[in-house]
Amino acid sequence: MSAVAQHLRVWAASARYSLTRALMFRGDFIIWALVELFWMGVNLLLVEVIYRHTDSIAGWNRAEMLLLLGTSLLIQRLLMGFFWSGLYDLGRNVRNGHLDFFLAQPGSVMFMVSTRKLDPDGLVNSVVALGLVIYAAGELGLRPTPGQLALYAALVGCGLVIHYSVLMLSTASVFWLTSAQGVEGGYFSLIEFSRMPREAFRGAAEVIFVWLLPVVVVSNAPARVLLYGFEPAWVLGLAGFAALWLGLAVLVFHRGLRRYASASS
Amino acid sequence: MLRAAGKYRQAFLLGLQGSLVYRWNFAVRGFFSLFHLAAVFILWGAAFAGRDQVGGFDLRQTLTYFTTILFLQFLISAFNEDYQISEEIRQGLINQFLLKPINYFLYRLSIFAAARLVSGALILLPLAAAYPFIHDALAFPGEPWRLAAAVPALVLSALVQFTIAYCFGLLTFWFLEIQGLVVLSMAVEAVLGGQIFPLDLLPPALHETARLLPFYYQMYFPAAILTGRIGPAETAEGLALQAGWVVLLLLLAQALWVRGLRRHTAVGG
């Protein structure tokens, strides 16, 4: 069996376990799904309140802004659904030595650490976020071609890779810092920028949040595919960023892993 | 009376020591909150482009409001007090307080006051670092009565914040896991407390409704006094409503404590 197929089988087993667990604790699942839904509602409300008083934010109208917000939330919910719990636990596991359990598993340690848990509540809300994208596209009268839809899905995938890589880089700092709690908070601070149009960034903010940190292009690039079709600079830029940040995350994680000394690290 | 005050003074000092242990945690949190402030400045800067006012206030007034909110979040917000209380109930640590002549609410309030003193002081560091870049964007009204009115408003806001967190913590007497409920309520509190946008930007009917709820007095009310979003008459009326909410929440907290203790079973030492 190829290594990819083997990893997929391990992932499918983890996913089955997570779903069974969610069904066992249904009340918990409902509460946390509501938590995410409420926080998505908060972002939506902010957009609605601002557009009560203005017609445009950096040249984007209300429906375009909802499309951008929906795309940003979609990527974030997918991250929460597929990777958040695993990466959140990584910090704790390095501190208390439970990472040993993952080292003994038959496959890539980074893969095992990242995919150990699936959060169905995050995945349920990714459907809500997708609903927001579809609603906004309807408001704008967009009729995307199959090619545009495929490209949008691919760029959302690239966005997910970037989010995952940034979160992994933040969490992997635990190998050096012992506690990554504050650093994880930094990831959530950065997410805020992904809900804003790229045109809103000027001067130093443009250099930092558009060029140095990929927090703006991550949602703007897919949203622009639906709005304006294929724009090579945006598409290739996001794909390049995704490859670069994933490479960096893999490098830093494995460097960190070398420092791991079981329970005493 | 003095002996009683001495007990809570000791609790306050212990809380101070405990919070200072986590000073770096607060400092890192404070540093990252500057990213949030940057996002707010960029978003509202773009929303104001081409217009002088939004909702009757200019850009500088709006940015001053959000900067004040950030400071108040560290000065009077309940951070994880609900979780700490919940853990003490769940793990049976609360039993020790039932046997001693100490009021659990006042004990926890003393620790809360100490923690906010530390976090409120530490947020001044990143704000001071950011000041050279943001001072042109700030415009405080400079009317002395606002500072005088803000002091009782801030004390009452801290009490509203803490008492709501305390009540959530006490729900552990009934529910094993309250973290989901807490985060759910955080979303409601963030919106109706004016942390996401100034509440005066809501449609008038919704703004009036929000004014009657306790969340309005958690954060928006003192921030609105300090940044000139409300006048003297509304401030006086607000202080009365805020005091009313404090009394109601204290009564609720006491009722939850008495009823919760009836359900509580202390096991072991």
Side-chain angles (χ1 to χ4, degrees), chain B residues 58-79:
Chain B
D58 64 27
L59 178 61
R60 290 178 75 206
Q61 286 172 306
T62 304
L63 297 181
T64 306
Y65 170 81
F66 281 109
T67 309
T68 306
I69 285 281
L70 174 66
F71 175 58
L72 296 188
Q73 279 170 345
F74 281 79
L75 185 69
I76 56 171
S77 266
F79 276 25

Side-chain angles (χ1 to χ4, degrees), chain A residues 35 52-54 182 189 192-193, chain B residues 32 35-36 51 180 201-203:
Chain A
V35 165
R52 261 196 88 235
H53 300 274
T54 181
S189 304
E192 286 192 61
F193 296 97
Chain B
F32 281 126
F35 278 111
H36 167 70
R51 53 181 57 78
L201 295 185
L202 283 169

Side-chain angles (χ1 to χ4, degrees), chain A:
Chain A
M1 194 194 320
S2 76
V4 173
Q6 188 202 347
H7 280 81
L8 279 176
R9 275 192 58 203
V10 172
W11 178 81
S14 297
R16 264 199 310 277
Y17 160 76
S18 299
L19 289 173
T20 309
R21 199 180 146 77
L23 288 173
M24 281 169 64
F25 300 102
R26 285 184 291 274
D28 214 35
F29 164 72
I30 290 169
I31 287 277
W32 283 106
L34 278 175
V35 165
E36 293 205 14
L37 191 64
F38 266 52
W39 277 107
M40 285 166 66
V42 168
N43 288 296
L44 196 57
L45 200 58
L46 173 63
V47 171
E48 291 298 332
V49 165
I50 294 178
Y51 279 98
R52 261 196 88 235
H53 300 274
T54 181
D55 302 324
S56 146
I57 296 177
W60 289 53
N61 66 29
R62 175 183 162 275
E64 288 169 336
M65 195 71 178
L66 289 180
L67 185 76
L68 179 66
L69 176 66
T71 303
S72 168
L73 291 174
L74 176 63
I75 297 169
Q76 201 189 332
R77 292 306 117 192
L78 289 173
L79 179 88
M80 292 290 154
F82 285 116
F83 303 116
W84 168 252
S85 288
L87 293 186
Y88 181 79
D89 286 348
L90 173 63
R92 205 173 44 187
N93 290 335
V94 170
R95 267 197 307 280
N96 60 25
H98 286 175
L99 192 69
D100 295 0
F101 170 72
F102 294 93
L103 297 177
Q105 285 185 341
S108 153
V109 180
M110 192 169 167
F111 180 86
M112 297 298 171
V113 161
S114 307
T115 58
R116 179 74 179 85
K117 287 180 184 168
L118 193 79
D119 277 331
D121 40 286
L123 294 178
V124 166
N125 280 306
S126 65
V127 177
V128 179
L130 188 61
L132 180 60
V133 172
I134 294 169
Y135 165 78
E139 286 276 291
L140 289 163
L142 298 177
R143 294 285 176 272
T145 62
Q148 267 178 298
L149 290 176
L151 197 54
Y152 178 79
L155 291 185
V156 165
C158 286
L160 182 60
V161 167
I162 291 175
H163 271 249
Y164 165 81
S165 305
V166 173
L167 186 58
M168 173 55 94
L169 283 167
S170 310
T171 321
S173 63
V174 73
F175 288 115
W176 288 269
L177 301 176
T178 312
S179 168
Q181 217 173 348
V183 188
E184 287 160 6
Y187 165 76
F188 284 101
S189 304
L190 289 175
I191 282 180
E192 286 192 61
F193 296 97
S194 73
R195 298 173 197 136
M196 286 188 261
R198 183 248 172 278
E199 291 80 0
F201 294 80
R202 296 267 181 274
E206 184 180 0
V207 174
I208 297 169
F209 301 113
V210 178
W211 301 114
L212 287 180
L213 298 169
V215 287
V216 176
V217 289
V218 97
S219 51
N220 275 249
R224 290 182 72 95
V225 162
L226 291 185
L227 288 169
Y228 309 116
F230 176 64
E231 294 173 305
W234 281 93
V235 173
L236 296 175
L238 187 64
F241 267 133
L244 183 75
W245 282 86
L246 182 62
L248 198 60
V250 170
L251 185 75
V252 169
F253 177 82
H254 286 96
R255 280 279 168 106
L257 203 55
R258 279 194 222 157
R259 292 176 56 87
Y260 177 67
S262 198
S264 59
S265 75

Side-chain angles (χ1 to χ4, degrees), chain B residues 79-97:
Chain B
F79 276 25
N80 60 349
E81 279 70 13
D82 34 30
Y83 178 73
Q84 290 171 357
I85 292 165
S86 171
E87 283 297 290
E88 286 192 344
I89 295 171
R90 215 157 51 157
Q91 295 176 7
L93 296 170
I94 203 165
N95 300 344
Q96 58 179 312
F97 297 101

Side-chain angles (χ1 to χ4, degrees), chain B residues 232-248:
Chain B
E234 209 178 329
T235 300
E237 195 183 310
L239 279 169
L241 275 167
Q242 193 181 26
W245 271 115
V246 169
V247 172
L248 276 176

Side-chain angles (χ1 to χ4, degrees), chain B residues 61 64 138-148 224-229:
Chain B
Q61 286 172 306
T64 306
L138 303 180
F140 284 96
E143 296 159 289
W145 72 265
R146 291 192 180 276
L147 283 176
I225 295 173
L226 284 166
T227 59
R229 296 186 92 90

